Amino acid sequence: MRLILLGGPGSGKGTQLRNLSQHLQLAGISVGDVLRQAIASQTFLGVKAQPYVERGELVPDPLMIQLMRLRFLQPDLGTEHKGWILEGYPRTAFQAEELDFVLDDFGQFLDSAIYLKIDETAMRERSLARSRADDSPEILNKRISLFHQRTIPILEYYGRRQKLLILNAEKSVEEVTQEILQKLELLTKG
């Protein structure tokens, strides 16, 4: 099974990534972790991505696509494994389209894109409550604005392909996890 978790800042993507990868025994890939690791390692791509991350801006598509292509080359994501869950990518419709090409190159396909929907007030409250360095009010405002600009085209992209599951992520963590698992079970049976 190959899944994508979509949602705004504070929607619970990271928490659901941990829960679902554990429940489904899939490799969990956080794009934030991919970026932080590339920056910390001072790789060529990490050095190029660092200024964008520090300003709370989206890393340009060509750079992000290369980072993700490299991540898909890692042994834990090969075709002999059960699959993976990707959190925080794609962030643009172009990246979604490119992800399909990358997966095609690796003989894989996406099963479902799961959209964790919460309102903007909840995004702000949850994000500010977790006190991460990249959640300052200024950067958070920028991230929420970018999220709104970029998300609709991604939802439309996966919706047209019958790959989109939309969930109310304002419920408790456990309720959201159970609802996702139930919907995925229905998909695999259907």
Side-chain angles (χ1 to χ4, degrees):
M1 187 174 283
R2 293 167 191 90
L3 307 169
I4 292 173
L5 287 172
L6 301 168
S11 62
K13 295 184 306 289
T15 302
Q16 291 304 327
L17 176 69
R18 284 188 298 279
N19 290 354
L20 295 170
S21 58
Q22 191 173 23
H23 276 284
L24 300 169
Q25 298 182 346
L26 301 173
I29 310 162
S30 162
V31 170
D33 291 346
V34 169
L35 282 168
R36 285 186 279 275
Q37 188 174 358
I39 291 167
S41 304
Q42 290 292 285
T43 64
F44 175 75
L45 295 173
V47 169
K48 289 185 101 157
Q50 187 168 3
Y52 298 98
V53 172
E54 287 174 351
R55 291 191 303 262
E57 297 173 5
L58 286 180
V59 174
D61 288 342
L63 189 52
M64 233 14 265
I65 290 163
Q66 287 306 312
L67 280 161
M68 292 312 297
R69 186 173 279 279
L70 288 173
R71 180 61 183 93
F72 277 104
L73 288 170
Q74 301 301 309
D76 64 328
L77 300 184
T79 51
E80 69 279 3
H81 294 280
K82 286 185 174 184
W84 43 260
I85 304 173
L86 185 54
E87 176 266 312
Y89 185 88
R91 290 202 174 156
T92 67
F94 181 72
Q95 288 177 5
E97 201 172 355
E98 287 298 309
L99 177 61
D100 283 343
F101 294 132
V102 169
L103 294 179
D104 196 45
D105 288 348
F106 290 108
Q108 299 182 21
F109 62 89
L110 181 70
D111 290 289
S112 198
I114 301 163
Y115 175 44
L116 302 174
K117 187 176 182 178
I118 64 171
D119 69 25
E120 192 169 315
T121 304
M123 281 186 206
R124 289 180 192 290
E125 288 170 0
R126 288 179 174 188
S127 295
L128 294 172
R130 63 187 181 191
S131 304
R132 282 193 344 206
D134 59 346
D135 281 333
S136 71
E138 300 78 29
I139 289 178
L140 183 58
N141 286 339
K142 194 179 287 188
R143 288 174 59 215
I144 289 173
S145 173
L146 280 171
F147 167 76
H148 286 304
Q149 291 170 26
R150 309 289 183 160
T151 302
I152 300 304
I154 296 172
L155 298 178
E156 288 172 352
Y157 180 84
Y158 288 120
R160 281 193 307 272
R161 285 160 181 75
Q162 314 285 303
K163 302 259 184 199
L164 185 63
L165 292 178
I166 300 175
L167 286 106
N168 174 359
E170 293 186 33
K171 298 177 182 177
S172 75
V173 169
E174 296 77 22
E175 286 177 299
V176 174
T177 301
Q178 287 310 311
E179 191 174 334
I180 293 170
L181 291 170
Q182 287 166 1
K183 288 190 176 199
L184 290 174
E185 192 175 326
L186 289 173
L187 278 181
T188 56
K189 288 179 180 175

